[in-house]
Amino acid sequence: MYNRQIQTFVTAAECGSFTKAAAKLFITSASVMKQMNALEERLGIELFKRTSRGIVLTPAGISVYRDAKRIIAESEQAVERARQIAGTERHILRVGTSLLNPCRILMEFWKGTCGDNPAFQIRIVPFEDDRKTILTVISSLGKEIDIISGSCGSREWGRRCSIYPIGQYRVCCAVSRKHRLAGKKKLSVSDLRGETLMMGARGDTPQLDALRTELETEYPEIHIMDTDFFYDAEVFNTCDQMNCVLLTLEVWKDVHPSLITIPVDWEYTVPYGLLYSKNPSPAVEAFVEVLRKTKKCCG
């Protein structure tokens, strides 16, 4: 119900870069710039200041951005109301996806349990994994993103959002391809003696705290190096650069091309599932309820 240039404008404004906006929208940078130039020409307003570091909204651009967000939200609500009146209600779910929280986990689970349910339409919304901003993303679920699928063992995340558990991820180790352990198909804990093991600091994930306690008690030869509670790409880069061992999850095996993820002969896992707002929209409530009923029926 609104010109697609509006959505492109909002994305560019939030990314601070035409290139990053293009990646999120799955179009070319040239297409983004062409749309923005056309929008500025049509409105007769300069919306962006172009700089060597990216783009910055002008005062007029800030005003348009605020109104554009409202227009998009109202347009989506209007379509939903029209569908309800027509008796063809369809819930639109905005599913977040990122390097460490890929939406394929949810999509595979949904396909395996509910198939092609016409009552729901999925919209993929990319976001960046950043240990400094991830708590803001989690706390704001329901605004730009409705659902994220991923690891949900964090106490802090549990305080900030609702969680629907799906299963368990195996806790593994990752090493650089040049590391002495890189050729192993499976590790024993004793293989880690003398190594520096990077892992999240104690206090946020009970399962990992239990593993840490075992390592500190039974394997003092393993040097534990604390990372932040929440990983981002830089943690994987550091592991590669320092040629040490990184505690990781099986689902993250393709995060860094220079690292190899290897299972370990322990039983440690962390739960994964859906993360959504503590005050979910009717669409999210309906979606989770369908999953609950289907999972219950399937046993």
Side-chain angles (χ1 to χ4, degrees), residues 72-106:
I72 291 172
E74 290 179 352
S75 294
E76 291 177 348
Q77 292 168 9
V79 171
E80 282 301 303
R81 286 194 296 270
R83 285 199 176 112
Q84 291 176 22
I85 292 171
T88 58
E89 180 180 6
R90 177 180 292 183
H91 297 298
I92 297 175
L93 292 170
R94 299 163 298 179
V95 176
T97 190
S98 67
L99 186 66
L100 299 180
N101 297 281
C103 66
R104 66 176 176 80
I105 304 299
L106 167 58

Side-chain angles (χ1 to χ4, degrees), residues 99-100 131 174-179 195-200 223-228 230-248 255-260:
L99 186 66
L100 299 180
R131 63 183 181 273
V175 296
S176 167
R177 294 182 182 276
K178 59 182 177 289
H179 194 278
E195 295 291 339
T196 295
L197 176 65
M198 298 173 60
M199 66 182 299
H223 173 63
I224 296 178
M225 174 182 170
D226 286 348
T227 70
D228 286 340
F230 316 120
Y231 286 9
D232 59 13
E234 192 55 38
V235 173
F236 293 84
N237 288 333
T238 300
C239 173
D240 183 41
Q241 293 162 6
M242 293 183 62
N243 197 33
C244 55
V245 182
L246 175 67
L247 198 72
T248 187
V255 165
H256 197 294
S258 296
L259 298 182
I260 298 173

